[in-house]
Amino acid sequence: MKTIIGKTASAAVLVLAAGLASPSFAQTSQDQAASLDDVIVTAQRREQSLQDVPIAITAFGAETLERTAAAGIQDVAAKAPGVTLTQFNIGEPQLYIRGVGTTSDSAASDPSIGVSIDEVSIGRAGGSSLAFLDIERVEVLRGPQGTLYGRNASGGALNIYTRKPQFEDTTMALLRYGSFNEWGGELIANRMMGESSAARLAVRINSNDGYAENVPSGRNLEGGRQYGARLSMLTQAGNWTLEGSIDASRDRMDGHARIPVTAAGTAPAFVTLINSLRAGLNVRQSFSSADNYQDRDNWGLTVRAEYEAEAFDFVSLTSYRNNDYGWRDNLGGLPFPNFPLMVDDQATEDANQFSQEFRLVSKPESAINWVAGVYWFKEDVDRSERFIVQAALPIAPPSFGGDTTFSQVAENTSYAAFGQATIPFASIWELTLGARWTRDERKIHQIAVDNENGANPPVGIPLGPTGQPYNVRASASFQEPTWKIALAVEPFENIRLYASYDRGYKAGSFASGAQTAVQAATPLRSELLDNYELGLKSTIMDGRLRFNAAAFRLEYDDLQVYELLGLNLVTSNAQAEVNGFEIESAFALSNNITIGGSYTSLDAKYTSNAVSGTSILPYNGLTLPRSPDSQYTLYADGEWDMWGGELAARVDYQWTDDIFFDPSNNAEVRSPAHSLVGAYLSWEAANGVKIAVYGKNLGDTEYQQHIIKNVGVGFSVFGPPRSYGMTLSRSF
């Protein structure tokens, strides 16, 4: 920990010295007025400057989202320190912060990273990875958020805020065209509905032919069509403010193009066979089925009521959401029987949730800022996954192939009471104290079916050959207190130091795809996470330089671990530890140009082996999945008055070290380090007409978005190649 703090302090000294060592540059008449805009966030359930919050947080405003061509959380995650996001499919994005995350797809489990839309916690991961539509900002909070967010936030939170209705009449229309015959459009209309009411409608459509293809049919993969709409209404009546919104989206996406990638441990015979089958093909040409697909329908209704009392404000947040998805994936991406294994994976899920939160919030001018409330969440999930497996020697005898279905019907309920207060004292100090009590209840009905009815024993993998069909019901409850203690001091104006200790919690879970009735009915223990953090937040050089840093230590107790061994799922709890530091900076080079970036260093390790049934899983000392040793980003952003309008430009660079996709740390689940470059250029006329062009992955990097291991081969999905796009819009 001392080493981490020392590195962070040294980096801070170097950056500050570089800025202060050039006073002649800083004193030019033009640059004296240059400064960074203040960033307002609501990470603590009230509006605050980002620099005043004793939390490691990154915020992306609407302008940044536009200039990075961010289409969803996958585009935001890669630009925040310590964050990675990989996607098994449309319904199962896998978000990790500081090495904390999960690959569980069970109907009776929660994400480790809390994702919310307009402060509504999203229970299922597939309900959060929606295309961005009329977004105001995105906040990424790193470290446990167990006080104000509670469930699903043991490792951090990603909060999405949509634009609210305004008391004005405005319209924005946009058309888009890009690589792979991408085309689409957006329409946003805001209207006043009398003196005290307003409505806002946002609509989006997008179509893409896909950047990959099926061999030999030539049909497209990795593309599809997306539709979305949201209607919001706002009204003010005396001390009351009422806001309601309804949103819906539909995704009809092509399936994945999986590519086998061999490693040092792959059997030479398989290396030769794969190389011969794929001779002349690139990483975006696959034998994955042309019938693969990823479909999703999502809709929700949210009602927010606020009352401004004399001593405090009251907030009621009520929401219902429904998320249905289905997908089909050929997990090998190779033809059978040329390659002696084929796995056809098909899943459907129907989930709905209802949540209610009541909270009281202190007035902004209060001597002590506080928030307190209660929360209730109920979720029903009906999930089914079917595996059709064909096998041949030398991988397995043909009898080991089969047709099995795993079904789960789950009811998940969560209750919580919480409170947090920030107490200033001695003019330069602040103490933040927070606590939350959470109770989670789970009921599960799990069924494993041999669709061949025993006609070809043993039961086919992935249920067999050691498992047997089952039909079990089980229930469990979990409860834990979580807390936050943070001490902050501002010894000099706009330089704030803080130390914090946070406890995170994620309820125990039941595994999907269990091998036996005992495993299906036995829950994994709850995860507990202690986070110790030292941080610096500073805005210096007359507001031109923002430099934030944090050093942290995470101690994990009973981390829930999932690993595919062959095609069998093993589940366990393990101990883990993460040490690291993060640096974020932004510098107003002039009135027109801002440069900045971030750096993250992680040392994320298991500190114990794990036990699954009678098996010992040798994890001790291995690296946690999706935990790069280092990550960094760089950007330059500028805008100028030119040609009777405004010219804007941005360039982004991001680099990510090697990561492993599962706890084994096998060579075939290692994704090599890679970098991505993006750029944006726009010109907006005085009448609101704007034309923009952008590019992604300009270096045409080949990088893996997801890996599943089997027989020493990493069956991978590669990210999009170099792509370009342009938009034409008008605001009026």
Side-chain angles (χ1 to χ4, degrees):
M1 186 69 172
K2 291 181 179 178
T3 302
I4 295 170
I5 297 170
K7 288 181 179 179
T8 305
S10 299
V13 170
L14 288 173
V15 171
L16 293 174
L20 298 174
S22 52
S24 60
F25 175 78
Q27 291 173 0
T28 65
S29 59
Q30 180 184 9
D31 293 342
Q32 278 182 342
S35 65
L36 300 169
D37 292 334
D38 193 18
V39 179
I40 302 300
V41 298
T42 54
Q44 297 191 124
R45 303 300 198 195
R46 63 181 188 273
E47 289 190 353
Q48 293 175 280
S49 168
L50 180 143
Q51 297 301 90
D52 292 338
V53 183
I55 298 172
I57 177 174
T58 301
F60 301 90
E63 184 178 89
T64 301
L65 296 175
E66 177 186 354
R67 294 183 184 180
T68 55
I73 61 174
Q74 69 278 6
D75 295 311
V76 169
K79 294 176 176 59
V83 181
T84 62
L85 187 147
T86 57
Q87 190 149 317
F88 180 33
N89 57 63
I90 195 171
E92 298 174 18
Q94 297 164 352
L95 182 63
Y96 282 69
I97 296 179
R98 292 179 173 176
V100 178
T102 184
T103 59
S104 173
D105 57 12
S106 171
S109 69
D110 298 326
S112 297
I113 307 302
V115 178
S116 69
I117 300 175
D118 292 331
E119 299 187 350
V120 174
S121 177
I122 306 301
R124 301 300 292 166
S128 63
S129 58
L130 307 177
F132 283 170
L133 173 61
D134 199 23
I135 301 299
E136 179 178 287
R137 72 184 183 280
V138 178
E139 299 176 7
V140 182
L141 285 59
R142 301 185 293 281
Q145 307 300 318
T147 304
L148 298 180
Y149 295 87
R151 68 182 310 275
N152 303 350
S154 61
L158 191 151
N159 302 328
I160 301 167
Y161 298 90
T162 64
R163 289 186 182 273
K164 308 305 179 190
Q166 304 295 314
F167 292 106
E168 58 183 355
D169 291 341
T170 60
T171 302
M172 192 283 290
L174 177 146
L175 296 175
R176 176 187 300 105
Y177 185 78
S179 300
F180 321 116
N181 194 33
E182 179 184 17
W183 61 268
E186 296 179 20
L187 175 66
I188 299 168
N190 193 102
R191 294 291 182 269
M192 291 189 64
M193 311 288 288
E195 293 185 359
S196 58
S197 298
R200 190 176 185 92
L201 174 67
V203 180
R204 181 182 189 272
I205 182 172
N206 203 73
S207 178
N208 189 316
D209 284 351
Y211 62 83
E213 69 170 308
N214 165 259
V215 179
S217 73
R219 287 183 58 181
N220 296 326
L221 296 170
E222 305 292 354
R225 292 144 302 286
Q226 297 175 303
Y227 315 88
R230 180 173 59 253
L231 175 63
S232 304
M233 300 192 71
L234 176 70
T235 187
Q236 295 178 340
N239 291 345
W240 284 95
T241 299
L242 300 176
E243 181 185 341
S245 67
I246 184 169
D247 65 272
S249 66
R250 166 166 285 198
D251 299 85
R252 293 295 180 264
M253 309 301 291
D254 303 326
H256 279 322
R258 288 206 175 265
I259 309 297
V261 178
T262 58
T266 308
F270 286 157
V271 174
T272 301
L273 177 58
I274 290 171
N275 288 342
S276 66
L277 290 173
R278 290 193 49 79
L281 301 180
N282 63 45
V283 297
R284 297 180 180 95
Q285 293 176 296
S286 171
F287 289 99
S288 287
S289 173
D291 296 325
N292 283 359
Y293 65 89
Q294 301 180 73
D295 294 344
R296 176 176 55 187
D297 293 293
N298 187 294
W299 71 275
L301 175 67
T302 299
V303 177
R304 181 188 181 98
E306 296 187 37
Y307 179 79
E308 294 186 11
E310 185 174 338
F312 55 82
D313 293 337
F314 167 78
V315 178
S316 170
L317 188 63
T318 309
S319 180
Y320 174 85
R321 298 205 65 84
N322 181 273
N323 182 55
D324 298 342
Y325 76 83
W327 50 269
R328 179 180 182 181
D329 194 359
N330 180 282
L331 299 184
L334 288 168
F336 182 86
N338 308 71
F339 188 79
L341 181 67
M342 188 280 293
V343 182
D344 186 18
D345 184 7
Q346 304 173 31
T348 60
E349 180 174 295
D350 181 0
N352 62 79
Q353 68 171 67
F354 180 85
S355 63
Q356 175 65 59
E357 181 172 333
F358 297 112
R359 64 176 181 260
L360 303 177
V361 184
S362 64
K363 291 292 189 180
E365 64 273 12
S366 299
I368 297 176
N369 289 310
W370 54 268
V371 59
V374 293
Y375 175 79
W376 179 65
F377 173 95
K378 186 175 184 298
E379 176 184 59
D380 294 295
V381 184
D382 188 347
R383 189 177 194 280
S384 177
E385 187 164 10
R386 180 182 183 185
F387 294 89
I388 302 174
V389 179
Q390 293 178 281
L393 293 173
I395 289 180
S399 61
F400 278 36
D403 184 346
T404 57
T405 297
F406 298 93
S407 297
Q408 292 182 300
V409 177
E411 179 182 299
N412 305 311
T413 308
S414 183
Y415 314 85
F418 60 89
Q420 182 168 302
T422 299
I423 308 163
F425 65 97
S427 74
I428 63 172
W429 293 86
E430 277 187 354
L431 176 65
T432 299
L433 299 173
R436 186 182 189 108
W437 175 84
T438 306
R439 178 180 173 85
D440 291 281
E441 299 174 352
R442 302 198 189 280
K443 297 179 182 178
I444 187 77
H445 183 195
Q446 305 224 69
I447 304 173
V449 177
D450 175 9
N451 294 318
E452 296 180 334
N453 296 315
N456 299 296
V459 178
I461 52 177
L463 179 60
T466 58
Q468 292 293 328
Y470 53 81
N471 186 331
V472 298
R473 297 177 185 269
S475 62
S477 61
F478 313 88
Q479 57 187 25
E480 287 290 340
T482 52
W483 55 79
K484 178 182 183 65
I485 305 172
L487 182 64
V489 61
E490 192 169 325
F492 308 102
E493 186 177 6
N494 296 322
I495 295 180
R496 177 177 289 246
L497 303 168
Y498 70 87
S500 64
Y501 167 40
D502 303 88
R503 162 64 63 92
Y505 151 77
K506 187 177 86 167
S509 64
F510 291 93
S512 63
Q515 306 299 300
T516 65
V518 172
Q519 184 187 23
T522 305
L524 294 175
R525 296 186 296 275
S526 298
E527 295 180 353
L528 295 177
L529 175 61
D530 289 319
N531 180 65
Y532 307 90
E533 186 166 323
L534 296 177
L536 163 70
K537 294 199 169 184
S538 62
T539 306
I540 58 176
M541 295 179 62
D542 295 325
R544 295 182 59 191
L545 174 63
R546 181 185 301 128
F547 182 87
N548 297 340
F552 53 87
R553 177 185 179 90
L554 281 65
E555 295 178 352
Y556 234 130
D557 188 25
D558 285 332
L559 171 65
Q560 297 169 11
V561 186
Y562 304 84
E563 183 187 353
L564 281 175
L565 291 179
L567 285 174
N568 296 133
L569 176 70
V570 294
T571 57
S572 58
N573 290 96
Q575 310 301 102
E577 184 178 284
V578 182
N579 294 295
F581 68 90
E582 301 157 344
I583 295 173
E584 284 189 280
S585 65
F587 180 63
L589 197 62
S590 70
N591 284 321
N592 306 106
I593 301 174
T594 300
I595 60 175
S598 65
Y599 179 80
T600 304
S601 174
L602 283 181
D603 180 17
K605 304 290 186 183
Y606 290 101
T607 56
S608 75
N609 292 329
V611 177
S612 180
T614 59
S615 301
I616 302 296
L617 305 174
Y619 293 155
N620 192 17
L622 298 182
T623 300
L624 295 180
R626 329 295 167 94
S627 304
D629 285 348
S630 59
Q631 288 176 288
Y632 65 87
T633 65
L634 298 168
Y635 73 87
D637 189 294
E639 53 187 41
W640 303 264
D641 292 332
M642 191 172 291
W643 305 317
E646 183 178 89
L647 181 72
R650 184 180 174 105
V651 177
D652 284 272
Y653 176 89
Q654 61 192 66
W655 187 87
T656 303
D657 212 339
D658 302 358
I659 62 172
F660 294 102
F661 271 80
D662 77 21
S664 70
N665 286 195
N666 286 1
E668 64 268 25
V669 294
R670 171 183 166 272
S671 175
H674 68 274
S675 61
L676 296 173
V677 180
Y680 171 93
L681 180 68
S682 71
W683 180 78
E684 183 174 8
N687 64 0
V689 173
K690 178 189 288 188
I691 184 169
V693 294
Y694 59 88
K696 295 185 177 183
N697 190 11
L698 294 178
D700 205 19
T701 300
E702 294 181 354
Y703 64 101
Q704 289 148 293
Q705 286 187 319
H706 195 268
I707 303 175
I708 296 174
K709 74 173 187 293
N710 202 3
V711 296
V713 180
F715 296 95
S716 305
V717 176
F718 281 78
R722 180 189 296 118
S723 63
Y724 303 97
M726 67 175 296
T727 63
L728 177 64
S729 63
R730 179 163 187 202
S731 300
F732 53 93

